[in-house]
């Protein structure tokens, strides 16, 4: 039985994951051929979570994503941990995430394949043990094997164990592996590009000499951090929220509130119910046989919140300062449990100035330092690393910053046949142009809701009698009343953004309270509208979609592995539901167009992309007036009492 005191959004423990697997086995649903792509908390219905009071036990449930390796069929099982029984077993749904066992098996199958070996010999590669094989989601291109569980495998030479294989791509060889039949079912062997020979390494042992002028920089918090952690609940300054690691959604914020007013007296006001990645896609822009099919959905196909993609973070390396870590219990493919230590990092950072004014009448400055709370995780997906950083600020601002690093996806080129859709980054090595598009599912509950979304942009007044100097402009608000009206794109020339308004509550000057979504770098999907990737990643064809909250509508592209398209947002919004005065969910896509640089190789310095959620009329004034001046500041930065 679940303890009455356990909050319904507490992540599953290792014991609960074990229990879930046992219940499914004992019920006969899973046997020797079944593998577990993920087991995670089945988040209770929103109303149950919001209505929960300590001491009231809820039926605590887990959801298991299962793949039968003997048939390739997927199933979703829901287990009541409270009752230790199966609630549902849905064997009819589509393709679940790839299992690590499938990926690792595919490597062995390819290396043993005579055709693949011959293709490598033709390129002068004889030492197959020294070849690095990368299995990829195969996509869906109406191939003869459509509907089967397949992965595509590309390869690289390593000159020694630690050598960077991406400097030595084996171009023009793609093996497609049926992971159920356990054999290569298709082999592409085209072109004549030599394997680039230059080693390009980045690990410490390969760097000839290090710069020697960095002095020690220590971050100390002698009084400890300003946050309090209880289970997965975090209180910091006026913020209170929960955090979890989801197998596909990754780092997730839940039930985020801000206390408006002094400690012990203020009103705790809801900002959002849940915020996390709803999907992401990395579509490659090269037409070549080796790259045209690369469209990784690192969230839904590969499950970036799972071991071993989810990194264990190291103090002093990944995170600096006084850190609280959250571990992430996981299921293995085989149904055992595994703890990813230090999966989520929580710490505070000084973030320059919060606000300042220097009074030119008195020559007295007032300055406050900005402190931000950082909740972060890092995920390794093949050649790339993605860091997800949620920041909370003292003025009510919430920020998401994705940090992209790791190694480029590379392509062997000979000078004569340059690929117009790739950039040369090293002699004989190019990297195809690509995009990284992150769709965040933002379930805002501004003052609890219901909420209404307006598109905001500046509009110049027409010159004329009412605008004789031609300088006037206004802020135009356009109601987004239905789903069809809420597929929107950014317009930075007009400062376009979106406000989530609570129409039933006004601030001191009579405006409805709101939070606004300020977009960051927001390219759209560049692939043609008729392309298969445009169907599969339809979410990325618009920067914003808005839906009415509906239980189960959590993934922007549905279950994307091998999916032909049409799932997720296109399907959710097909009925063109009302989103006015509703519990609204925003789906916002930001990202990068990555035309690789030589400086991105052999390892890429972090690039950043993200967005802001900011109070707009949510408060009656600057909510950070009560942040005290730094107690130990030297010199003069505030008036005295
Ligand atoms: Co990139």
């Amino acid at each position: 039985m679940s303890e009455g005191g356990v909050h319904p959004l507490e992540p599953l423990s290792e014991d609960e994951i074990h229990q879930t697997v046992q219940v499914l086995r004992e019920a006969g649903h899973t046997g020797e051929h079944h593998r577990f792509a993920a087991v995670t908390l089945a988040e209770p219905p929103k109303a149950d979570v919001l209505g929960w009071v300590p001491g009231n036990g809820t039926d605590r449930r887990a959801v298991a994503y299962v793949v039968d390796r003997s048939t390739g069929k997927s199933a979703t099982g829901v287990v009541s941990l409270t009752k230790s029984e199966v609630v549902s077993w849905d064997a009819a749904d589509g393709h679940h995430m790839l299992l690590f066992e499938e990926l690792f098996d595919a490597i062995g199958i390819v290396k043993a394949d005579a055709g693949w070996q011959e293709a490598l010999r033709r390129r002068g590669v004889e030492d197959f043990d020294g070849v690095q094989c990368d299995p990829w989601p195969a996509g869906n291109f109406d191939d003869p094997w459509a509907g089967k569980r397949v992965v595509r495998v590309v390869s690289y030479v390593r000159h020694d164990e630690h050598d960077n294989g991406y400097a030595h791509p084996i171009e023009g060889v793609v093996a497609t592996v049926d992971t159920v039949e356990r054999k290569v079912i298709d082999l592409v062997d085209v072109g004549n590009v030599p394997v680039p020979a230059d080693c390009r390494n980045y690990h410490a042992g390969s760097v000839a000499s290090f710069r020697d002028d960095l002095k020690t920089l220590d971050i100390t918090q002698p009084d400890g951090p300003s946050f309090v952690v209880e289970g997965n609940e975090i209180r910091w300054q006026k913020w209170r929220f929960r955090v979890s690691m989801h197998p596909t959604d990754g780092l997730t914020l839940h039930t985020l509130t801000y206390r408006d007013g002094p400690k012990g007296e203020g009103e705790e006001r809801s900002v959002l119910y849940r915020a996390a990645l709803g999907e992401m896609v990395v579509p490659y822009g090269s037409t070549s046989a080796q790259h045209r099919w690369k469209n990784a959905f690192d969230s839904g196909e590969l499950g970036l919140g799972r071991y071993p993609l989810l990194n264990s973070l190291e103090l002093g390396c990944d995170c600096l300062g006084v850190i609280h870590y959250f571990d992430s219990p996981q299921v293995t493919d085989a149904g055992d449990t595994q703890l990813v230590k230090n999966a989520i990092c929580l710490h505070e950072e000084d973030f320059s100035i919060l606000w300042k004014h220097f009074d030119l009448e008195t020559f007295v400055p007032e300055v406050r330092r900005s402190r931000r709370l950082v909740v972060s995780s890092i995920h390794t997906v093949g050649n790339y690393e993605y860091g997800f950083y949620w920041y909370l600020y003292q003025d009510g601002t919430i920020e998401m910053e994705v940090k992209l690093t790791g190694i480029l996806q590379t392509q062997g080129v000979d000078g004569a046949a340059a690929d117009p859709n790739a950039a040369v980054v090293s002699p004989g090595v190019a990297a195809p142009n690509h995009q990284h598009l992150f769709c965040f599912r933002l379930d805002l509950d501004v003052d609890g809701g219901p909420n209404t979304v307006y598109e905001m942009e500046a509009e110049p007044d027409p010159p004329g009698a009412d605008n004789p100097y031609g300088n006037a402009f206004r802020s135009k608000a356009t109601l987004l009343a239905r789903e069809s009206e809420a597929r929107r794109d950014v317009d930075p020339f007009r400062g376009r953004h979106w406000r989530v308004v609570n129409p039933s509550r006004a601030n001191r000057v009579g405006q409805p309270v709101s939070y606004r979504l300020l977009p960051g770098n927001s390219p759209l999907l560049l692939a043609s509208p008729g392309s298969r990737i445009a169907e599969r990643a339809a979410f990325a064809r618009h920067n914003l979609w808005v839906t009415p909250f509906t239980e189960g509508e959590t993934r922007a592209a549905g279950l994307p592995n091998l999916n032909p398209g049409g799932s997720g947002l296109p399907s959710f919004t097909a009925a063109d539901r009302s989103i006015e005065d509703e519990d609204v969910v925003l789906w916002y896509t930001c990202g990068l167009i990555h035309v690789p640089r030589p400086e991105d190789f052999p390892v890429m310095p972090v690039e950043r992309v993200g967005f802001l959620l900011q109070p707009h009329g949510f408060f009656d004034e600057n909510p950070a007036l009560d942040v005290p001046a730094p107690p130990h500041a030297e010199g003069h930065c505030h008036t005295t009492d």
Side-chain angles (χ1 to χ4, degrees):
M1 293 293 287
S2 79
E3 303 262 335
V6 174
H7 188 273
L9 293 178
E10 277 291 333
L12 296 185
S13 66
E14 283 188 275
D15 284 348
E16 288 175 321
I17 291 170
H18 179 72
Q19 185 189 355
T20 304
V21 171
Q22 287 303 114
V23 167
L24 288 173
R25 280 185 180 150
E26 282 162 18
H29 287 300
T30 60
E32 61 170 319
H33 299 301
H34 291 90
R35 299 292 181 272
F36 293 83
V39 172
T40 192
L41 178 73
E43 291 174 24
K46 186 168 179 176
D48 293 359
V49 173
L50 294 175
W52 181 82
V53 288
N56 264 10
T58 51
D59 184 16
R60 198 162 156 77
R61 294 179 175 185
V63 59
Y65 302 103
V66 178
V67 177
D68 183 341
R69 292 234 40 211
S70 66
T71 62
K73 302 269 188 245
S74 300
T76 302
V78 176
V79 167
S80 165
L81 298 161
T82 313
K83 299 173 186 156
S84 221
E85 66 184 29
V86 178
V87 175
S88 63
W89 177 259
D90 176 5
D93 67 357
H95 286 288
H96 285 326
M97 294 169 270
L98 288 162
L99 301 163
F100 295 107
E101 186 183 277
E102 290 177 285
L103 300 174
F104 292 124
D105 275 3
I107 293 170
I109 291 163
V110 166
K111 286 194 173 186
D113 183 76
W116 178 86
Q117 292 181 357
E118 186 50 40
L120 264 63
R121 280 194 201 97
R122 197 161 76 71
R123 290 164 175 80
V125 180
E126 305 275 350
D127 173 19
F128 305 131
D129 289 342
V131 170
Q132 168 193 337
C133 288
D134 284 11
W136 278 70
N140 182 316
F141 298 91
D142 296 325
D143 294 303
W145 52 81
K148 295 186 171 184
R149 281 184 84 86
V150 295
V151 295
R152 299 189 208 240
V153 179
V154 293
S155 314
Y156 309 83
V157 171
R158 286 190 178 218
H159 290 194
D160 60 61
E161 188 193 358
H162 296 290
D163 188 29
N164 172 17
Y166 298 105
H168 315 294
I170 300 171
E171 194 63 31
V173 183
V174 184
T176 301
V177 175
D178 182 325
T179 67
V180 176
E181 297 293 325
R182 297 176 192 244
K183 63 179 186 190
V184 173
I185 54 170
D186 186 69
L187 181 71
V188 171
D189 177 8
V190 295
N192 234 333
V193 180
V195 179
D198 285 2
C199 286
R200 296 293 310 277
N201 284 306
Y202 54 90
H203 45 80
S206 69
V207 175
S209 71
F210 290 100
R211 59 185 75 184
D212 62 0
D213 51 356
L214 272 177
K215 307 291 190 216
T216 302
L217 191 158
D218 282 332
I219 294 171
T220 56
Q221 292 185 272
D223 309 327
S226 311
F227 53 74
V228 176
V229 178
E230 204 179 316
N232 73 333
E233 185 185 81
I234 300 161
R235 295 168 190 253
W236 178 75
Q237 300 280 285
K238 300 188 171 194
W239 295 103
R240 184 159 77 103
F241 64 104
R242 288 177 181 274
V243 66
S244 70
M245 180 58 60
H246 189 274
T248 52
D249 308 1
L251 187 61
T252 304
L253 301 184
H254 306 267
T255 59
L256 182 86
T257 61
Y258 189 97
R259 183 168 33 76
D260 187 5
K263 194 171 185 177
E265 301 169 34
E267 180 194 0
E268 188 169 14
R269 299 174 64 187
S270 163
V271 177
L272 62 81
Y273 179 72
R274 193 180 191 280
L277 192 64
E279 191 49 86
M280 61 172 287
V281 66
V282 188
Y284 281 78
S286 166
T287 61
S288 75
Q290 184 116 345
H291 308 282
R292 61 163 183 80
W293 47 268
K294 288 180 179 169
N295 298 299
F297 292 72
D298 293 326
S299 169
E301 286 179 328
L302 290 162
L304 53 70
R306 296 184 298 166
Y307 174 86
L309 277 58
L310 176 62
N311 288 191
S312 283
L313 304 174
E314 296 278 351
L315 181 62
C317 305
D318 299 297
C319 327
L320 201 56
V322 179
I323 308 292
H324 179 94
Y325 290 109
F326 296 88
D327 300 333
S328 176
Q330 307 253 328
V331 73
T332 66
D333 288 344
D336 299 322
T337 58
Q338 161 122 30
L339 189 67
V340 178
K341 295 285 289 178
N342 299 356
I344 300 172
C345 168
L346 173 71
H347 74 285
E348 293 176 282
E349 285 179 356
D350 179 89
F351 194 63
S352 185
I353 58 167
L354 171 62
W355 54 262
K356 173 170 185 169
H357 185 61
F358 179 66
D359 182 1
L360 288 171
E361 292 291 321
T362 61
F363 278 41
V364 174
E366 287 283 348
V367 194
R368 299 296 180 271
R369 297 297 302 174
S370 177
R371 184 87 62 94
R372 69 179 183 183
L373 187 70
V374 188
V375 188
S376 65
S377 62
I378 303 178
H379 310 258
T380 301
V381 190
N383 50 306
Y384 259 107
E385 263 76 14
Y386 297 104
F388 293 89
Y389 290 71
W390 286 108
Y391 302 116
L392 301 182
Y393 295 88
Q394 290 159 307
D395 69 347
T397 297
I398 304 159
E399 181 177 11
M400 162 48 65
E401 183 177 63
V402 188
K403 299 190 187 192
L404 300 90
T405 179
I407 306 185
L408 294 167
Q409 186 54 221
T410 51
Q411 173 182 17
V413 287
D414 45 21
D419 183 337
N421 307 118
V424 175
V425 296
S426 182
V429 180
N433 300 338
H434 59 278
Q435 297 185 270
H436 302 263
L437 300 167
F438 304 92
C439 180
F440 286 91
R441 179 182 178 278
L442 306 170
D443 179 0
L444 273 73
D445 282 7
V446 177
D447 270 323
N451 293 151
T452 296
V453 183
Y454 289 87
E455 179 164 283
M456 308 300 300
E457 60 191 357
E459 184 169 71
D461 287 5
D466 292 337
N467 182 20
Y469 304 101
N471 63 308
F473 65 90
R474 62 188 65 202
S475 174
K476 185 175 85 170
T478 305
L479 169 71
L480 306 180
R482 309 198 71 83
E483 289 175 308
S484 60
E485 298 165 11
R487 290 177 196 137
R488 305 298 302 162
D489 303 328
V490 296
D491 181 357
F493 300 110
R494 295 292 178 96
R496 184 178 290 172
H497 62 279
W498 298 282
R499 272 175 73 179
V500 180
V501 165
N502 187 325
S504 58
R505 178 163 176 167
N507 63 22
R508 189 165 65 170
V509 288
Q511 304 156 340
V513 298
S514 82
Y515 255 73
R516 65 184 183 188
L517 166 59
L518 283 188
N521 196 23
S522 302
L524 294 174
L525 182 74
L526 289 165
S528 302
S531 64
R532 181 46 61 83
I533 187 55
E535 298 297 315
R536 299 181 65 219
F539 65 86
R541 294 170 65 183
H542 293 291
N543 296 125
L544 182 78
W545 303 58
V546 184
T547 57
F549 174 88
T550 306
E551 295 287 350
E553 291 186 358
T554 58
R555 305 296 306 161
L559 294 173
N561 187 26
L562 307 165
N563 189 322
S567 300
L569 283 171
S571 143
F572 301 159
T573 59
D576 195 18
R577 296 168 293 189
S578 169
I579 51 170
E580 185 179 358
D581 214 12
E582 294 278 354
D583 180 357
V584 295
V585 177
L586 278 63
W587 307 73
Y588 162 68
T589 296
C590 56
L592 290 179
I593 296 170
H594 194 174
V595 175
R597 310 172 297 163
E599 292 89 341
D600 292 337
F601 203 64
V603 67
M604 177 180 155
V606 165
E607 291 238 16
R608 298 167 188 85
V609 65
F611 61 91
L612 296 175
L613 294 169
Q614 284 187 320
H616 186 139
F618 186 79
F619 300 109
D620 289 335
E621 61 177 357
N622 178 350
L625 284 181
D626 65 344
V627 174
H632 308 300
E634 293 174 20
H636 206 40
C637 61
H638 59 97
T639 51
T640 46
D641 301 330

